[in-house]
Amino acid sequence: AVVYALFLRGTANGFAYLPIMLLAAVASVSTVFSFFHCACYRKFMGCTNGMMVGMTMGMVPGLMAGAILGATNGMFVGSVTGMLFGMGLGYKLGKCCGVMGAMEGLMAGLMAGTMGAMLSVMMLRDNLMAFLFLLFASGAVILFGLSYMLYREQGAAPAQGWSANFPKFFFYALLLFILFMSMAFLGPKSTLVYP
């Protein structure tokens, strides 16, 4: 709301960016929440759970980042950014169970980053926003489901590891949102992009 009021309200396409900003907020909050929660279990995670964490944290955030930036900037920027973002998160959390989890995170980020951008670019002339809202709602449910899986499999989050208090959580979510929006507004754009 602050970004819209300060920077976009008077611009020609300012109102059209509101759905993108909402999607970026959903992506930021759900990604940061899941990252901090999964990181609490790193020292205690078995191979199966570690592979699931690496795959999910590579796939869903990479898909979300690729979809946002593919829509606003085009296939190249969306693919590269989504791929690097997903691979980074997937590797960081998947490596807790060794090479297998790290590879799972890297492969998931690679596939999802490019797929998110490709889906957005393919649907620019169709119901893109309706699809993105369904995609991001599904992604948020999957990320929160990952946290629930860890809670069911391994109990309450251990005290050691990453503890996220609210200011820390808010700061990282806001920082991720600002990065998404900076890329969307200021990054290089291809010929056909939203809006």
Side-chain angles (χ1 to χ4, degrees), residues 1-18 21 174 177-178 181-182 185-186:
V2 170
V3 170
Y4 177 75
L6 293 178
F7 302 110
L8 297 175
R9 189 176 52 182
T11 61
N13 291 326
F15 187 74
Y17 275 108
L18 280 177
M21 294 173 69
L174 182 62
F177 175 80
I178 290 170
M181 290 295 91
S182 298
F185 297 147
L186 307 173

Side-chain angles (χ1 to χ4, degrees), residues 94-181:
K95 71 178 182 174
C96 66
C97 68
V99 176
M100 192 178 292
M103 289 295 295
E104 190 79 31
L106 289 171
M107 290 187 305
L110 174 69
M111 291 184 295
T114 55
M115 182 61 71
M118 182 172 46
L119 288 170
S120 286
V121 170
M122 287 168 46
M123 297 190 77
L124 276 171
R125 297 289 187 194
D126 206 342
N127 295 317
L128 173 65
M129 280 301 122
F131 170 73
L132 287 181
F133 275 96
L134 290 170
L135 180 72
F136 277 57
S138 301
V141 167
I142 291 168
L143 287 176
F144 290 120
L146 177 68
S147 290
Y148 181 68
M149 179 204 79
L150 287 174
Y151 172 74
R152 290 292 301 213
E153 292 280 325
Q154 299 193 210
Q160 301 88 352
W162 292 48
S163 59
N165 56 20
F166 184 76
K168 186 177 177 183
F169 167 77
F170 183 82
F171 170 77
Y172 281 110
L174 182 62
L175 180 64
L176 188 55
F177 175 80
I178 290 170
L179 288 173
F180 282 149
M181 290 295 91

Side-chain angles (χ1 to χ4, degrees), residues 3-139:
V3 170
Y4 177 75
L6 293 178
F7 302 110
L8 297 175
R9 189 176 52 182
T11 61
N13 291 326
F15 187 74
Y17 275 108
L18 280 177
I20 294 291
M21 294 173 69
L22 181 60
L23 293 170
V26 169
S28 302
V29 169
S30 58
T31 298
V32 170
F33 172 83
S34 292
F35 181 83
F36 277 126
H37 189 246
C38 293
C40 291
Y41 295 93
R42 283 186 303 182
K43 294 180 181 176
F44 311 99
M45 210 175 296
C47 187
T48 306
N49 288 340
M51 285 178 56
M52 190 66 183
V53 165
M55 182 180 66
T56 306
M57 288 305 296
M59 182 74 70
V60 177
L63 187 71
M64 290 176 165
I68 290 172
L69 298 173
T72 59
N73 297 74
M75 184 71 187
F76 177 75
V77 172
S79 292
V80 170
T81 309
M83 183 177 70
L84 293 175
F85 184 61
M87 289 173 73
L89 289 178
Y91 174 79
K92 178 79 173 166
L93 289 176
K95 71 178 182 174
C96 66
C97 68
V99 176
M100 192 178 292
M103 289 295 295
E104 190 79 31
L106 289 171
M107 290 187 305
L110 174 69
M111 291 184 295
T114 55
M115 182 61 71
M118 182 172 46
L119 288 170
S120 286
V121 170
M122 287 168 46
M123 297 190 77
L124 276 171
R125 297 289 187 194
D126 206 342
N127 295 317
L128 173 65
M129 280 301 122
F131 170 73
L132 287 181
F133 275 96
L134 290 170
L135 180 72
F136 277 57
S138 301

